[in-house]
Amino acid sequence: MRQRSPVDRVHNPHRRLLWRICLALMLCLMVGPVLAAPRPLILVMGDSLSAAYGIERQDGWVSLLTDRLAGKARVVNASISGETTAGGKTRLPELLRQHDPDIVLLELGGNDGLRGLPPAQMRSNLADMIEASQASGAEVALLGIDIPPNYGQAYREAFTGVFTALAERYEIPLLPFMLDDVALHDELMQDDGIHPTAAAQPQILDNVWPVLAPLLENSGAELAERQG
């Protein structure tokens, strides 16, 4: 069998072209994953206020958030109507394991208040959820809520005080009242007086955005000054 000379191997134009193509493909495979940074993932743990109760799901503020992010971050909405802090505490570990979120938005407590459950119990459940989220490597923000005045001023102050105390203790962002500029406008509330209408959802998102945006930027999302 005739052996190819070094000259044949070096100067064969087809072989050199094939080698260059293979080298380019290898570089693309090695460099591509480094350049493509993963998008931050937001996990929303909420109740009916985040589960679009009484309206189309695509009209809810969490769906509007997905639209506003325009692919710069992913959103998992794990909200369930009627959820309490106890239920959220039970579900959270598996959700953290499954999704490994960068940011956790805790929007729970409203149903605890409406049921007259002890604020100390709500505080303990939320504290456990904050600690579990932080232990998984996620940043956390609290989305607070208020309850009607007929529950009594003492209970109401103890209830809302839970969110403030937890935000201070864990040094996390707090939205004191998620339904600001919504709850007192009858045209933005459903007939039950508790749940906002579809028309109120953009305002709710605007309330949440100043709390969420810095966390997204910390997680590497490049956001415009004003989205949506």
Side-chain angles (χ1 to χ4, degrees), residues 13-137:
H14 298 292
R15 182 179 294 275
R16 293 177 65 184
L17 177 60
L18 180 61
W19 169 247
R20 289 175 179 174
I21 293 173
C22 291
L23 180 61
L25 290 173
M26 290 172 62
L27 289 174
C28 288
L29 290 173
M30 290 187 294
V31 175
V34 176
L35 296 178
R39 296 175 297 159
L41 189 144
I42 306 164
L43 175 65
V44 182
M45 288 292 296
D47 50 34
S48 55
L49 297 180
S50 298
Y53 176 87
I55 61 176
E56 296 296 329
R57 192 170 182 86
Q58 65 267 22
D59 293 333
W61 75 266
V62 179
S63 293
L64 298 181
L65 170 63
T66 300
D67 295 339
R68 178 175 290 192
L69 290 169
K72 294 184 174 67
R74 297 163 290 162
V75 181
V76 173
N77 190 0
S79 304
I80 298 177
S81 293
E83 184 75 291
T84 62
T85 56
K89 174 184 172 181
T90 300
R91 292 194 300 123
L92 182 60
E94 175 58 23
L95 290 166
L96 293 174
R97 185 200 65 78
Q98 180 180 354
H99 299 291
D100 189 24
D102 300 280
I103 299 168
V104 175
L105 298 181
L106 291 180
E107 183 274 299
L108 288 171
N111 288 306
D112 295 59
L114 293 176
R115 298 179 187 186
L117 299 178
Q121 175 183 309
M122 181 179 81
R123 176 173 178 167
S124 176
N125 291 335
L126 287 173
D128 288 346
M129 295 178 73
I130 293 169
E131 291 178 6
S133 299
Q134 291 179 333
S136 75

Side-chain angles (χ1 to χ4, degrees), residues 110 113-114 145-153 155-156 159 192-194:
L114 293 176
I145 195 64
D146 202 348
I147 54 175
N150 59 295
Y151 281 77
Q153 189 62 25
Y155 182 82
R156 189 180 182 189
F159 175 85
D192 60 12
I194 296 175

Side-chain angles (χ1 to χ4, degrees), residues 161-179:
V162 166
F163 299 106
T164 303
L166 289 174
E168 292 177 353
R169 175 183 175 185
Y170 292 100
E171 298 182 338
I172 59 177
L174 167 66
L175 172 59
F177 185 37
M178 186 178 175
L179 299 184

